[in-house]
Amino acid sequence: MVRSLVFVLSTFMWLVVGSVAFTVPSKRMASAGARAPLVLPKSATVAERSAAFVMNADSGAAPAVLDRPAETIDKVEDDVEEKQKFGTEAWEVRLYNDPMNKREFVARCLTEITGLSDTAAYTVMMQAHQNGLSTVGRYAFEMAELYHSSLRGEGLSVDMIQVDDE
């Protein structure tokens, strides 16, 4: 009865836990001189695991333990691509002339979102109004993306481009 209960519980644990290995030390194992648990490959089926457990239970050994698979991690060299996107290169946020928004609203958005002073925000807004395009500033990728999405969320016509520092 005890062996069948242990068999059912161990089978259930293997199904639920999967690759987690466990051993339950007992007084009988300690007194009999505990042997190393049986190690099964991770690809072992449920039937193979159950059979190994029953065989070990009869011999007094610990439950079967799955062997951790030998993993080889191949590092892919994507440093060049990451540098292009997240490197120290400058990204320029540009503001386009927008006939839909009032000039005061555009200057206020620039002040609140990018932290420009009132004078600098007004200058950027007027350059965009008169020339059709103005540069808000040069920032690292994350900051440029944040300003771009925030200004676009307010309804302003902005874009961001990567700028060569050369």
Side-chain angles (χ1 to χ4, degrees):
M1 174 73 180
V2 173
R3 281 189 184 166
S4 62
L5 180 61
V6 169
F7 173 76
V8 170
L9 288 175
S10 66
T11 304
F12 176 74
M13 288 299 293
W14 284 114
L15 291 174
V16 172
V17 178
S19 65
V20 175
F22 64 93
T23 58
V24 180
S26 65
K27 292 180 183 176
R28 186 174 70 168
M29 286 176 57
S31 64
R35 296 185 316 192
L38 178 66
V39 177
L40 294 175
K42 188 172 184 169
S43 61
T45 64
V46 174
E48 291 170 339
R49 293 176 192 164
S50 300
F53 180 78
V54 170
M55 289 187 324
N56 276 347
D58 290 337
S59 66
V65 177
L66 290 179
D67 187 19
R68 181 170 278 200
E71 293 182 19
T72 57
I73 299 174
D74 298 329
K75 184 177 179 188
V76 179
E77 297 295 328
D78 289 336
D79 294 338
V80 174
E81 183 177 321
E82 287 182 21
K83 280 185 181 178
Q84 287 178 353
K85 188 173 181 182
F86 298 110
T88 59
E89 291 88 13
W91 287 77
E92 201 171 78
V93 178
R94 299 186 305 184
L95 175 69
Y96 291 94
N97 185 28
D98 184 8
M100 302 303 281
N101 293 312
K102 295 188 180 257
R103 291 186 278 178
E104 293 82 13
F105 174 73
V106 174
R108 185 169 45 86
C109 287
L110 290 171
T111 302
E112 291 176 358
I113 293 172
T114 63
L116 293 175
S117 66
D118 291 338
T119 307
Y122 182 80
T123 304
V124 168
M125 178 272 305
M126 284 307 292
Q127 285 178 351
H129 179 69
Q130 293 171 349
N131 303 329
L133 174 70
S134 178
T135 300
V136 176
R138 288 186 181 191
Y139 307 100
F141 177 76
E142 291 84 7
M143 292 302 294
E145 187 176 39
L146 174 69
Y147 293 158
H148 174 262
S149 63
S150 299
L151 291 169
R152 192 169 280 275
E154 292 293 331
L156 302 181
S157 298
V158 293
D159 72 348
M160 59 183 267
I161 60 168
Q162 188 173 7
V163 179
D164 294 329
D165 287 337
E166 298 172 5

